[in-house]
C-alpha cells in the first residue's frame, strides 16, 4: 500500500498563490498518495487548479453537527461537496486553541464518516508528558477517547482505509525537533497494538502517519520506520518542491 503524504497548510495560503502551487504539484511524479489540506475556502479553487492531477484534498476540521445554527462552523457534508475526501481532526492546535476534548473529536469523526469523509485523527503527547514517561499512556488514552467504533466496520466507497491516525508529538510540531527513530518506532508499535485492540481487523491496517517537523532532510529515515504509513506535514507542505521531496522519500512497494 502506498504511503500517504498529507500537507496541513494550517491558516496559510492565498487564492492568489493557488495557481503556482498547483503547477508545482502537477509537474511531479510521486510514489506516494498525496493529500493537501488547505484552509477550507481554498479547497474548491485548488481542486480546479490541480486540473485532474492525482492529489486528494482535505479539510482541517469539521463541525460535530451536520447543519444548522452553528455560526462559523464547517459542515462535513459541505466540505465533501467542495471536493474534500479527508478531514484532519483533533490536531493539537485545535485541542489547545479550541479546547477540543477527545470526546468531541470522536463525535466529529462520526460526523465525518457519515458524510463520506476519511478522518485523520491526531494524537500526541506534550514535552512534559514525554519527559515524565507518560507519552504512551497519554496517546493510548487519546486513542481510546477519540476513535468512534464506526471505524471498525465502516468502509468508505473506493477507499481502503476508513480512517487514518496521525501521531504528532506536540513538542515536535513546528519546532524543527523530532523524536529519535527508536521513540517513533516504539510509539507507532504501541498505537498499532491499541488500534488492533480497539478496532480489530480495521485497526490492523489503518495507516499511522508521523507528524512533527518532517522535512526533506529527515523524511527518508522517518518514513522507513516500521508502522509508519506516511507523514502529516505542516510547514514543509507550503512549498510544493519540499512537499514533493518528502513524498519522493516514501518507500516504494
Ligand atoms: C502539523 O501541524 O501537523 C505539523 C506536523 O507541522 P510541522 O510539520 O510544521 O511540524
Amino acid at each position: 500500500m502506498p504511503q500517504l503524504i498529507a500537507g496541513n497548510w494550517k491558516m496559510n495560503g492565498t487564492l492568489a498563490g493557488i495557481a503556482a502551487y498547483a503547477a508545482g504539484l502537477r509537474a511531479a511524479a510521486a510514489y506516494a498518495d498525496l493529500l493537501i489540506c488547505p484552509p477550507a475556502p481554498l479547497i474548491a479553487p485548488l481542486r480546479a487548479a490541480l486540473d485532474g492531477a492525482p492529489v486528494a484534498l482535505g479539510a482541517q476540521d469539521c463541525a460535530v453537527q451536520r447543519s444548522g445554527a452553528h455560526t462559523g462552523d464547517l459542515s462535513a457534508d459541505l466540505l465533501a461537496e467542495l471536493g474534500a475526501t479527508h478531514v484532519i481532526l483533533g490536531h493539537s492546535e485545535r485541542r489547545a486553541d479550541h479546547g477540543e476534548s477527545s470526546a468531541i473529536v470522536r463525535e466529529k469523526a462520526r460526523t465525518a464518516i457519515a458524510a463520506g469523509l476519511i478522518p485523520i485523527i491526531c494524537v500526541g503527547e506534550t514535552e512534559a508528558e514525554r519527559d515524565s514517561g507518560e507519552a504512551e499512556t497519554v496517546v493510548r488514552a487519546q486513542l481510546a477517547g477519540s476513535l468512534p467504533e464506526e471505524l471498525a466496520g465502516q468502509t468508505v466507497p473506493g477507499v481502503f482505509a476508513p480512517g487514518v491516525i496521525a501521531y504528532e508529538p506536540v513538542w515536535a510540531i513546528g519546532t524543527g525537533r523530532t523524536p529519535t527513530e527508536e521513540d517513533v518506532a516504539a510509539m507507532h508499535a504501541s498505537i498499532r497494538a491499541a488500534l488492533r485492540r480497539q478496532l480489530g481487523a480495521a485497526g490492523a491496517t489503518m495507516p499511522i502517519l508521523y507528524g512533527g517537523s518532517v522535512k526533506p532532510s529527515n523524511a527518508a529515515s522517518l518514513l522507513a520506520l516500521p508502522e509508519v504509513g506516511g507523514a502529516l506535514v505542516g510547514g514543509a507542505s507550503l512549498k510544493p518542491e519540499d512537499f514533493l521531496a518528502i513524498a519522493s522519500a516514501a518507500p516504494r512497494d
Side-chain angles (χ1 to χ4, degrees):
M1 187 163 123
Q3 292 202 344
L4 173 64
I5 308 298
N8 172 15
W9 284 11
K10 312 191 186 195
M11 203 170 68
N12 297 296
T14 62
L15 196 52
I18 287 293
Y21 191 93
L25 279 199
R26 278 202 312 263
Y31 299 97
D33 288 340
L34 301 183
L35 168 71
I36 300 285
C37 302
L42 297 182
I43 292 173
L46 186 53
R47 173 81 287 147
L50 283 165
D51 197 20
V55 179
L57 293 174
Q60 300 172 16
D61 181 46
C62 71
V64 169
Q65 302 83 2
R66 296 189 72 174
S67 65
H70 306 287
T71 303
D73 283 347
L74 286 167
S75 135
D77 298 85
L78 176 59
L79 294 168
E81 197 182 348
L82 290 172
T85 52
H86 295 66
V87 59
I88 299 171
L89 294 175
H91 190 282
S92 63
E93 288 155 14
R94 296 219 47 101
R95 289 182 189 257
D97 295 355
H98 300 271
E100 284 191 5
S101 63
S102 290
I104 292 174
V105 174
R106 186 176 56 223
E107 288 310 309
K108 290 186 171 189
R110 281 203 175 103
T111 304
I113 291 167
L117 295 176
I118 300 168
I120 301 177
I121 298 175
C122 301
V123 293
E125 81 285 358
T126 63
E127 186 156 34
E129 289 162 345
R130 174 154 291 275
D131 289 347
S132 61
E134 293 171 302
E136 288 193 17
T137 309
V138 166
V139 166
R140 282 176 178 235
Q142 288 173 336
L143 290 169
S146 304
L147 303 189
E149 49 286 354
E150 283 87 337
L151 283 175
Q154 179 86 19
T155 52
V156 177
V159 175
F160 183 61
V164 175
I165 304 300
Y167 167 56
E168 299 206 302
V170 178
W171 52 273
I173 294 178
T175 60
R177 298 162 58 205
T178 55
T180 64
E181 291 177 14
E182 291 71 23
D183 285 345
V184 173
M187 183 62 86
H188 279 239
S190 165
I191 292 172
R192 176 64 70 208
L195 291 178
R196 281 183 203 272
R197 264 202 313 279
Q198 270 181 254
L199 302 174
T205 52
M206 192 170 286
I208 308 170
L209 312 184
Y210 168 77
S213 295
V214 178
K215 45 195 176 204
S217 58
N218 62 17
S221 52
L222 288 165
L223 292 173
L225 294 170
E227 295 294 2
V228 172
L232 182 53
V233 184
S237 71
L238 295 173
K239 290 188 185 160
E241 61 274 23
D242 287 351
F243 188 63
L244 289 169
I246 292 168
S248 55
R252 296 176 202 184
D253 282 339

